[in-house]
């Protein structure tokens, strides 16, 4: 989690009173979204990139993201007129839809500023959920409490907004992960199954790699044409895809999306997540049955990989 560098000023010497170096911060947020959605928004790298910045004046660039026990996340926080802040996060524990524990080390200009142990407890139902975060903070270069509280709190406020416009679809497909991944990331096969029942794809360009794109029309059974443009910002083979959805070629973005692939005893759990750009677009998508249509798409994927 990136703190707010604008509240810290220049790096100063270590506080004279060593007791001031240590503090415990607590944050609680209620979210009008299912427990499963909150967990995905809290942990999925593509989602964390959406809500991590504490304010529009702060740019956060993710250099690495490996959300699994033993994995790490590296980001750089930039504010005009201030030194960049580097944050390295190491995941120590991940219990899906229950809790996570990670350590965070922030540094700037080669100086370590703080070390923190972050524990998140998640609870809820299929309608509402709750996030409780405890940060055990050790300030090394200066008193970081105020900056951490401000930056962390603003990020969690963003998380709440993102979670409340997020759609998560999941399906366990009875095929090995390599087969499911191959059907998804093959330019010949992806257009054959993508889309709800009765829909087909007409591809204009397809390049399934980091920095690539898929420009295509979705054709409804009644002949209606829905222009689509997917821009791929991350492809980690057999693990996950991160991309943005646009209304037609070079059209406005309407969602940040990701697909994650988890092997399960010869089967594959596929998670498809979408954070819509606005709450209105999320409600509109729910209204026309995007959840059901998305689950149909994953059903078509399963039939495609198991029919042979």
């Amino acid at each position: 989690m990136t703190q707010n560098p604008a509240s810290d000023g220049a790096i100063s010497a270590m506080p004279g009173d060593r007791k001031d170096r240590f503090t415990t911060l607590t944050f609680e947020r209620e979210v009008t979204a299912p427990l499963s959605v909150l967990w995905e928004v809290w942990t999925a790298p593509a989602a964390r990139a959406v809500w991590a910045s504490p304010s529009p004046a702060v740019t956060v660039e993710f250099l690495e993201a490996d959300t699994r026990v033993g994995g790490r996340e590296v980001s750089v926080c930039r504010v005009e007129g201030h030194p960049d802040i580097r944050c390295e996060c190491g995941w120590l524990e991940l219990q899906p839809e229950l809790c996570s524990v990670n350590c965070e080390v922030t540094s700037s200009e080669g100086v370590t500023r703080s070390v923190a142990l972050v524990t998140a407890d998640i609870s809820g139902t299929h309608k509402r959920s709750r996030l409780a975060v405890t940060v055990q903070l050790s300030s090394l270069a200066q008193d970081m409490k105020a900056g951490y509280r401000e930056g962390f709190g603003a990020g969690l406020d963003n998380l709440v907004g993102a979670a409340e416009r997020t759609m998560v679809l999941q399906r366990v497909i009875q095929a090995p992960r390599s087969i499911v991944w191959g059907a998804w990331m093959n330019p010949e096969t992806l257009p054959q199954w993508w889309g709800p029942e009765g829909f087909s794809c007409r591809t204009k360009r397809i390049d399934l790699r980091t920095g690539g794109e898929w420009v295509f029309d979705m054709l409804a059974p009644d002949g209606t044409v829905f222009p689509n443009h997917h821009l791929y910002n991350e492809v980690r083979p057999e693990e996950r895809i991160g991309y943005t959805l646009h209304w037609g070629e070079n059209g406005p973005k309407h969602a940040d999306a990701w697909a994650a692939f988890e092997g399960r005893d010869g089967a594959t759990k596929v998670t498809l997540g979408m954070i819509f750009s606005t709450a209105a677009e999320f409600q509109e998508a729910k209204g026309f049955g995007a959840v059901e249509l998305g689950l149909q798409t994953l059903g078509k994927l399963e039939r495609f990989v198991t029919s042979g």
Side-chain angles (χ1 to χ4, degrees):
M1 173 75 69
T2 304
Q3 55 158 319
N4 189 352
S7 65
D8 295 330
I11 296 177
S12 63
M14 185 179 293
D17 186 348
R18 296 180 64 87
K19 292 186 295 183
D20 292 342
R21 292 171 51 194
F22 305 102
T23 189
T24 298
L25 306 175
T26 58
F27 305 85
E28 295 184 1
R29 295 293 186 274
E30 300 290 334
V31 187
T32 309
L35 173 62
S36 59
V37 168
L38 176 58
W39 176 258
E40 283 294 314
V41 174
W42 173 249
T43 58
R48 290 172 66 82
V50 170
W51 56 261
S53 174
S55 75
V58 180
T59 300
V60 179
E61 178 185 0
F62 283 78
L63 307 179
E64 295 182 37
D66 186 1
T67 312
R68 56 185 169 183
V69 175
R72 73 172 191 161
E73 176 182 280
V74 180
S75 61
V76 177
C77 177
R78 298 185 175 93
V79 177
E80 186 176 356
H82 294 268
D84 291 350
I85 293 179
R86 179 183 175 92
C87 180
E88 297 190 21
C89 161
W91 294 99
L92 305 175
E93 184 65 32
L94 288 162
Q95 297 183 28
E97 300 183 17
L98 186 62
C99 73
S100 72
V101 181
N102 66 274
C103 59
E104 289 188 355
V105 179
T106 65
S107 60
S108 183
E109 298 183 318
V111 178
T112 301
R113 302 178 60 153
S114 66
V115 178
L117 183 68
V118 180
T119 303
D121 292 302
I122 294 177
S123 59
T125 66
H126 67 285
K127 290 185 177 181
R128 298 186 61 86
S129 50
R130 178 177 178 271
L131 176 66
V133 181
T134 301
V135 179
Q136 296 167 280
L137 176 66
S138 175
S139 300
L140 300 178
Q142 65 181 61
D143 184 358
M144 303 285 286
K145 180 170 65 174
Y148 228 97
R149 182 181 297 279
E150 180 182 344
F152 217 108
L156 292 182
D157 290 341
N158 294 340
L159 178 147
V160 172
E164 292 179 349
R165 60 179 193 274
T166 295
M167 191 173 292
V168 174
L169 311 174
Q170 295 179 321
R171 186 181 182 101
V172 176
I173 295 176
Q174 299 305 313
R177 182 165 58 173
S178 60
I179 300 298
V180 176
W181 174 267
W184 197 302
M185 295 305 290
N186 183 327
E188 298 296 327
T189 57
L190 175 59
Q192 294 182 43
W193 60 264
W194 183 265
E197 299 289 350
F199 284 70
S200 61
C201 297
R202 182 171 60 201
T203 296
K204 297 179 180 179
R205 293 194 308 278
I206 186 167
D207 182 7
L208 303 177
R209 60 180 176 85
T210 301
E213 63 180 349
W214 183 22
V215 182
F216 66 103
D217 291 329
M218 184 78 72
L219 308 178
D222 64 2
T224 303
V225 177
F226 298 95
N228 281 263
H229 191 183
H230 294 183
L231 292 173
Y232 298 91
N233 50 56
E234 182 184 42
V235 175
R236 291 176 61 99
E238 298 192 19
E239 291 186 15
R240 67 175 185 265
I241 307 160
Y243 59 106
T244 56
L245 309 179
H246 297 255
W247 295 115
E249 185 170 2
N250 301 316
K253 183 178 76 172
H254 67 94
D256 292 274
W258 66 94
F261 304 80
E262 177 187 347
R264 288 194 168 185
D265 297 324
T268 306
K269 180 182 178 181
V270 176
T271 299
L272 180 59
M274 292 165 283
I275 301 180
F276 289 84
S277 297
T278 66
E281 287 180 294
F282 172 70
Q283 292 298 333
E284 182 180 0
K286 284 184 62 178
F288 70 66
V291 172
E292 295 77 12
L293 296 174
L295 292 174
Q296 288 179 21
T297 298
L298 295 181
K300 287 174 63 179
L301 169 60
E302 180 162 35
R303 290 201 304 274
F304 184 86
V305 298
T306 59
S307 61

